[in-house]
Amino acid sequence: MDSSLTFRAGIKDVIPTVFGYIGVGLAMGIVANTSHLSVWAVLLMSLIVYAGSAQFIIVSMLLAGSPISAIVLSTFLINSRMILMSMSVAQYFKKESLLQNIGLGSLLTDETFALSMNKLNQTNQQLKTSWLHAANIVAYLVWAAATVVGCLLGNLITDPNQFGLDFAVVGMFIGLLYLQIITDRSKSLPTQLWVVLFVALAMYFLMRWVPGNLALIFATLLGCGFGMVVDRK
């Protein structure tokens, strides 16, 4: 990753990240196939919903015969963390049009958000729409393709977890966190490690009382507050 913010640079920067999309997308397609969803249904879900964890929940809820209202509410709660991420990224595109911002926010994911935060360390805290559009579009297309391929291969693979596909996103985020820590010169290493430890502990305890996705939001907010306390500059 370098300081270039062109469309081509966005494609180049996101390529290592999309391997996580491929692993989880294949698993998603396989699960959907075993739940008797058609390839077209899987493709439309990936293009319209475009949310890995939410799509797994949707498939399981459809299989259980849950009402549409419950599915919509669950999907909203699972993806509500994107509100915080979009707000964080939006500050770098204040001069762009509303349409540009809608386009960027609509395809923003956990992975492209984390990639953007890493990119800021290389570009003097600058982002461009061309770069983020490229990263978002590539990730979007790879996810859709991976879920479709997974659905087509569903009859051949009965248990995707045996290949470790369920760990793909976890491994990817560990790598992104590592890159963020070693490249961010605006904060000291001890400060970053203290915040990471605090958020991890907050998640551990919060998940005892609230659902995982709400715990993630609360832990993020608490982590932001804790970071302001330990870094008072």
Side-chain angles (χ1 to χ4, degrees):
M1 184 181 292
D2 54 30
S3 61
S4 177
L5 287 169
T6 62
F7 191 88
R8 178 176 294 183
I11 296 175
K12 177 183 176 183
D13 291 340
V14 81
I15 286 177
T17 304
V18 298
F19 285 104
Y21 284 73
I22 294 173
V24 179
L26 289 173
M28 165 59 206
I30 294 167
V31 170
N33 177 274
T34 58
S35 300
H36 310 295
L37 290 183
S38 68
V39 172
W40 288 111
V42 171
L43 176 60
L44 287 174
M45 186 188 300
S46 295
L47 293 177
I48 297 173
V49 179
Y50 187 42
S53 56
Q55 287 180 230
F56 279 102
I57 295 296
I58 290 172
V59 170
S60 62
M61 293 183 74
L62 286 173
L63 191 62
S66 301
I68 297 298
S69 58
I71 295 176
V72 171
L73 179 60
S74 298
T75 302
F76 172 77
L77 291 175
I78 290 170
N79 287 328
S80 57
R81 67 188 184 281
M82 300 309 302
I83 298 174
L84 296 175
M85 295 182 187
S86 297
M87 290 173 62
S88 297
V89 174
Q91 62 179 309
Y92 301 102
F93 300 102
K94 292 180 179 179
K95 297 181 179 180
E96 302 296 334
S97 67
L98 176 62
L99 187 62
Q100 285 276 24
N101 278 274
I102 291 175
L104 293 171
S106 297
L107 295 184
L108 188 71
T109 65
D110 301 282
E111 294 80 9
T112 55
F113 169 77
L115 189 68
S116 299
M117 296 301 101
N118 280 322
K119 189 70 173 181
L120 290 171
N121 297 318
Q122 307 291 333
T123 61
N124 194 27
Q125 301 298 301
Q126 299 293 320
L127 289 176
K128 288 186 177 180
T129 55
S130 56
W131 179 86
L132 188 52
H133 275 314
N136 282 342
I137 291 171
V138 170
Y140 181 60
L141 295 177
V142 169
W143 171 257
T147 57
V148 169
V149 172
C151 188
L152 293 172
L153 296 175
N155 293 327
L156 303 177
I157 303 175
T158 57
D159 183 15
N161 290 341
Q162 66 180 321
F163 297 100
L165 297 181
D166 56 327
F167 187 74
V169 168
V170 177
M172 176 180 60
F173 275 115
I174 291 174
L176 289 171
L177 176 61
Y178 171 75
L179 290 174
Q180 175 70 17
I181 290 175
I182 65 172
T183 58
D184 189 354
R185 298 289 184 265
S186 64
K187 304 290 185 296
S188 67
L189 179 59
T191 297
Q192 295 185 69
L193 293 178
W194 274 115
V195 172
V196 170
L197 178 61
F198 178 86
V199 173
L201 290 173
M203 274 294 295
Y204 176 79
F205 288 106
L206 285 169
M207 287 185 67
R208 293 172 174 264
W209 295 286
V210 296
N213 289 282
L214 288 178
L216 179 60
I217 295 173
F218 293 147
T220 300
L221 293 173
L222 290 172
C224 291
F226 180 76
M228 294 174 63
V229 171
V230 297
D231 184 25
R232 299 180 179 178
K233 292 186 293 182

